[in-house]
Amino acid sequence: MGALEVTVLYLILLLTTKVISKEEEWKSATATYTKETDGSIIRGGACGYGDIHKATYGKYSAGLSTKLFNKGSTCGGCFELRCVDHILWCLQGSPSVILTATDFCPPNYGLSADYGGWCNFPKEHFEMSEAAFAEIAERKADIVPVQYKRVKCERRGGIRFTMSGSSHFCQVLITNVGLDGEVVGVKVKGPKTGWIPMARNWGQNWQCNINLIGQPLSFEVTASSGRTLASYSVAPANWQFGQTYEGKQFK
């Protein structure tokens, strides 16, 4: 094997090692849970998902502290969590769960960050559903130390586009996004227009100040990895506000 081949092989091994180490990197945080009647979080809160069972996220959802929430850009992202370093509260073997970011856990600066102010900046904290929390720790626990890492989002079906707005503007809620889960850019297109950039309104609601009623709509979604996916003529010409349409999916 020549010097060039050895150099190329070394670079490949180096890059592979970096990718693996990045994927396996765990970070420290804390977690609590919120009590709901069926053990899950019903409303999607600050990400705009509404009923998160309809948004396919269900009990495996979480509210994120300010630092993790990142002004809503993390909405839809997936995290693997496991309870660690607490022999009394963590379940044996430190099982993990995969959660979707669906809400914001607001700070409470009137309380100490160590008791009650768990979502105060710059704390990294997850507010889980009771059902998901019970898969990694005892329900009796008040707060538990966890480790987390970002993981690929596994979704069934395509990206979903829920229409809203008025005759003055077009707004779309984007859910069920695979791969990164996070959406950083959206464009919309009708047969009478080119690709129109949409701005983030809040959470994963995106809008543009153009009347697109009566036109079949195509959407281009850009994930945080930089990958872009176009779904053509997702919404038919007779689309209605409140209706949801399914497009392609990141693979």
Side-chain angles (χ1 to χ4, degrees):
M1 185 180 292
L4 179 59
E5 289 84 356
V6 171
T7 302
V8 171
L9 180 59
Y10 172 76
L11 290 173
I12 292 173
L13 290 173
L14 182 62
L15 289 172
T16 302
T17 301
K18 286 184 177 181
V19 170
I20 293 173
S21 62
K22 184 178 180 181
E23 289 178 349
E24 294 179 349
E25 181 182 359
W26 291 90
K27 298 180 180 179
S28 297
T30 53
T32 51
Y33 68 87
T34 179
K35 291 185 177 180
E36 296 286 352
T37 54
D38 68 346
S40 65
I41 301 173
I42 305 301
R43 306 301 297 178
C47 289
Y49 293 136
D51 186 330
I52 59 174
H53 290 280
K54 292 182 180 179
T56 74
Y57 305 135
K59 69 178 182 180
Y60 295 105
S61 308
L64 275 55
S65 59
T66 303
K67 185 174 182 179
L68 291 171
F69 190 68
N70 195 23
K71 298 180 180 180
S73 67
T74 310
C75 289
C78 295
F79 297 82
E80 183 175 2
L81 262 72
R82 64 186 184 189
C83 182
V84 295
D85 301 329
H86 204 302
I87 192 171
L88 183 61
W89 299 132
C90 295
L91 298 186
Q92 188 174 1
S94 292
S96 65
V97 293
I98 295 177
L99 307 173
T100 298
T102 61
D103 201 358
F104 173 54
C105 180
N108 185 347
Y109 294 113
L111 297 175
S112 165
D114 296 324
Y115 190 81
W118 298 309
C119 291
N120 293 351
F121 187 84
K123 297 280 286 186
E124 296 189 348
H125 184 83
F126 295 84
E127 186 177 61
M128 305 169 62
S129 72
E130 182 178 0
F133 185 89
E135 293 188 20
I136 65 169
E138 297 289 345
R139 280 187 170 90
K140 296 178 182 178
D142 193 14
I143 181 172
V144 295
V146 297
Q147 289 180 333
Y148 75 92
K149 63 180 178 179
R150 289 297 305 269
V151 294
K152 179 181 178 181
C153 296
E154 301 288 347
R155 306 295 188 206
R156 293 183 179 180
I159 297 174
R160 297 175 184 175
F161 304 88
T162 302
M163 305 302 302
S164 62
S166 72
S167 59
H168 303 291
F169 71 97
C170 175
Q171 181 168 288
V172 61
L173 169 65
I174 300 178
T175 59
N176 203 49
V177 181
L179 194 64
D180 305 14
E182 294 181 37
V183 176
V184 298
V186 179
K187 294 180 181 179
V188 62
K189 181 182 183 302
K192 303 176 183 178
T193 73
W195 284 107
I196 303 167
M198 305 186 81
R200 187 192 302 274
N201 186 324
W202 58 288
Q204 285 299 357
N205 284 282
W206 297 77
Q207 75 171 55
C208 62
N209 296 323
I210 298 176
N211 181 7
L212 295 173
I213 295 174
Q215 299 186 51
L217 300 180
S218 303
F219 291 95
E220 182 183 272
V221 175
T222 301
S224 57
S225 64
R227 288 185 58 184
T228 297
L229 181 66
S231 297
Y232 292 95
S233 299
V234 174
N238 63 344
W239 61 265
Q240 300 292 319
F241 294 128
Q243 291 185 338
T244 299
Y245 305 93
E246 188 169 308
K248 295 181 180 179
Q249 183 60 271
F250 286 108
K251 296 180 180 178

